Amino acid sequence: PDVPSCTDCHGSHQQADPELIEQVCNSYVRQTVAGVFFAPLELTEDKDRINQCVITALEAAGIPIVLLDRDIVAFPQRSRFDLVGLDNRRAGFLIADHLIRLGCRRIDFLARPGSAPTVMLRIAGYREALLSAGITPDPQWVHSGEPTDEKFVQRVVAAGATAIVCANDLTAANLMRTLDALGCPVPQKIRVVGFDDVRYAELLRPSLTTIHQPCVDIGTIAMQVMLERIENPAFPPRDILAQPTLIVRQSCGA
């Protein structure tokens, strides 16, 4: 069946084009496609409205939807669509537990404003790891801000951060660059880790400790879920989550 992916129709996260997104969705409707994979928009103020427009248009046309990576509602809420992605809660636990095993007793978490619901799951797992180690997580350890903002990062460092879990690898890469500009070497003064294991993670200096996201497995599973959804529209919605893998490199100090 013809099953396109509505994951790239918005281009840059910061420069989402609602008109283009609407055009793409209308094109799918006109083609009477069998189903659509959709990775909801994040990191833009208008994301909720745009995501809902996409969902409404596809549902009105009776087109099955499988969400990729993240839901359209904030955790712990759950939408009515199948979702295929990483086990983000377990991923958050794994990365924080790794830092704890290295001797960290204070671990901060950094995410950009407007991040996807997956980030809340990663924060939940990070907090569980702290609690499991007998560490009471301080709400002030979780920060929302731009990793390229030197003043913001300086405040985080001044507050006592010694290890920072970043919501994704891009945030971690930008944070390491800012820390370098501030004279805070990684990992000698501050340990930094991320999520996703993007291609350049190993090329960063220092190389980035992160959580590997098995994209090929997620894609394979998503196709199977879509075929089952098309065959059995009355199935209850499912979360099918791929297992994360910890990739240890230099930025954590191990």
Side-chain angles (χ1 to χ4, degrees):
D2 185 7
V3 185
S5 172
C6 192
T7 59
D8 299 314
C9 61
H10 47 71
S12 168
H13 286 308
Q14 279 78 17
Q15 298 177 348
D17 185 343
E19 291 185 3
L20 177 58
I21 294 173
E22 185 177 356
Q23 290 172 12
V24 171
C25 291
N26 289 339
S27 173
Y28 291 165
V29 171
R30 288 194 301 270
Q31 296 173 52
T32 61
V33 298
V36 169
F37 299 108
F38 179 43
L41 187 67
E42 62 169 330
L43 299 176
T44 178
E45 292 182 359
D46 214 18
K47 61 184 175 63
D48 292 336
R49 185 190 65 80
I50 297 171
N51 288 337
Q52 192 55 55
C53 285
V54 171
I55 295 297
T56 299
L58 296 175
E59 276 198 304
I63 298 174
I65 301 165
V66 171
L67 299 177
L68 298 178
D69 182 61
R70 48 193 176 267
D71 210 333
I72 59 169
V73 294
F75 174 80
Q77 300 178 70
R78 178 66 172 87
S79 72
R80 57 191 175 278
F81 306 106
D82 294 317
L83 187 152
V84 180
L86 184 72
D87 188 341
N88 285 287
R89 192 164 184 166
R90 179 171 174 75
F93 187 100
L94 282 175
I95 200 75
D97 182 67
H98 172 66
L99 291 173
I100 292 168
R101 291 176 185 273
L102 292 177
C104 299
R105 302 300 293 176
R106 168 174 175 158
I107 302 173
D108 290 47
F109 195 105
L110 172 60
R112 295 179 60 198
S115 295
T118 50
V119 173
M120 294 305 300
L121 287 163
R122 292 172 180 182
I123 292 173
Y126 142 87
R127 285 175 171 152
E128 287 177 12
L130 292 172
L131 289 169
S132 295
I135 302 170
T136 301
D138 189 327
Q140 294 186 359
W141 294 354
V142 177
H143 311 276
S144 177
E146 294 293 342
T148 56
D149 182 342
E150 288 193 8
K151 291 184 178 180
F152 165 73
V153 174
Q154 205 162 27
R155 289 196 297 271
V156 174
V157 174
T162 58
I164 302 176
V165 179
C166 295
N168 53 50
D169 289 348
L170 179 58
T171 299
N174 282 319
L175 175 63
M176 288 198 298
R177 184 176 180 180
T178 303
L179 288 171
D180 182 64
L182 293 173
C184 298
V186 175
Q188 291 86 350
K189 184 170 183 179
I190 296 185
R191 305 172 194 254
V192 174
V193 298
F195 292 87
D196 296 337
D197 195 25
V198 296
R199 291 183 179 180
Y200 58 78
E202 191 172 8
L203 303 177
L204 295 171
R205 289 295 175 265
S207 56
L208 181 63
T209 294
T210 185
I211 292 289
H212 177 70
Q213 184 160 201
C215 295
V216 173
D217 292 345
I218 290 171
T220 301
I221 295 168
M223 179 57 75
Q224 184 62 42
V225 170
M226 178 63 80
L227 294 175
E228 292 175 359
R229 174 59 57 193
I230 293 170
E231 183 71 21
N232 297 285
F235 269 178
R238 297 164 291 175
D239 287 345
I240 300 183
L241 306 176
Q243 290 304 303
T245 303
L246 176 67
I247 306 296
V248 178
R249 298 193 181 102
Q250 296 170 330
S251 67
C252 64

